[in-house]
Amino acid sequence: TAVAPPPEPPPFAISTVQLCRSIQGFGSFETTTPQSLRAGRPVLVYCELAGLRYDQRGDEYVAHIATRVELIAADGSKVWEVEGDAEDPCRRLRRDSFVGTQVNLPESIPPGDYTIRLTQTDSLAGRSATAEIAVTIGP
């Protein structure tokens, strides 16, 4: 008898991305407008992830996510970026995964139109997804 190959994991994707004032949990956040950003002030980037891989470690399931946030100028040049890693241990396999990242834009960024590019990498599965938000940094 033939053995069926293991099922393909669901596609890894960023299903939602929002700029926020506060994040309480999955699907629970207070948004801010992309035109209200100011250099030198923090903003939260909230995203929901689909297809995140969890590996079992003892009695827990663990995911590992690498986050990169880039600020891209209108001419396509990268003005600024920040990176971080997080582990998500849980006793039950999650169905809903989200990441909240605080971004502190440097005071040296001039006012204008930019794009925030968010890249999330599922380090266990070696898969990445990217989402972008058009923003305006005011004076």
Side-chain angles (χ1 to χ4, degrees):
T1 61
V3 175
E8 279 292 310
F12 180 67
I14 297 172
S15 55
T16 299
V17 64
Q18 296 282 332
L19 296 180
C20 300
R21 282 185 195 46
S22 66
I23 300 171
Q24 292 77 43
F26 181 87
S28 181
F29 48 85
E30 183 184 342
T31 61
T32 188
T33 63
Q35 294 76 32
S36 66
L37 301 185
R38 299 284 183 265
R41 294 198 187 150
V43 65
L44 296 170
V45 180
Y46 169 90
C47 78
E48 294 174 6
L49 300 173
L52 183 61
R53 177 175 161 184
Y54 283 84
D55 283 350
Q56 192 163 5
R57 288 191 203 156
D59 62 348
E60 289 187 324
Y61 294 92
V62 180
H64 188 96
I65 304 149
T67 301
R68 183 172 66 240
V69 179
E70 300 167 289
L71 188 65
I72 309 298
D75 67 3
S77 63
K78 182 173 24 174
V79 176
W80 175 84
E81 77 176 320
V82 65
E83 296 185 36
D85 292 309
E87 248 188 20
D88 179 27
C90 51
R91 292 205 175 268
R92 295 182 46 114
L93 202 52
R94 290 193 198 280
R95 294 186 187 100
D96 301 326
S97 300
F98 79 96
V99 176
T101 305
Q102 181 171 316
V103 175
N104 297 305
L105 299 170
E107 290 185 22
S108 59
I109 295 176
D113 293 329
Y114 296 88
T115 299
I116 290 180
R117 181 181 299 147
L118 172 68
T119 302
Q120 298 288 13
T121 300
D122 179 343
S123 300
L124 296 177
R127 302 183 294 175
S128 294
T130 301
E132 295 184 344
I133 302 172
V135 299
T136 300
I137 296 179

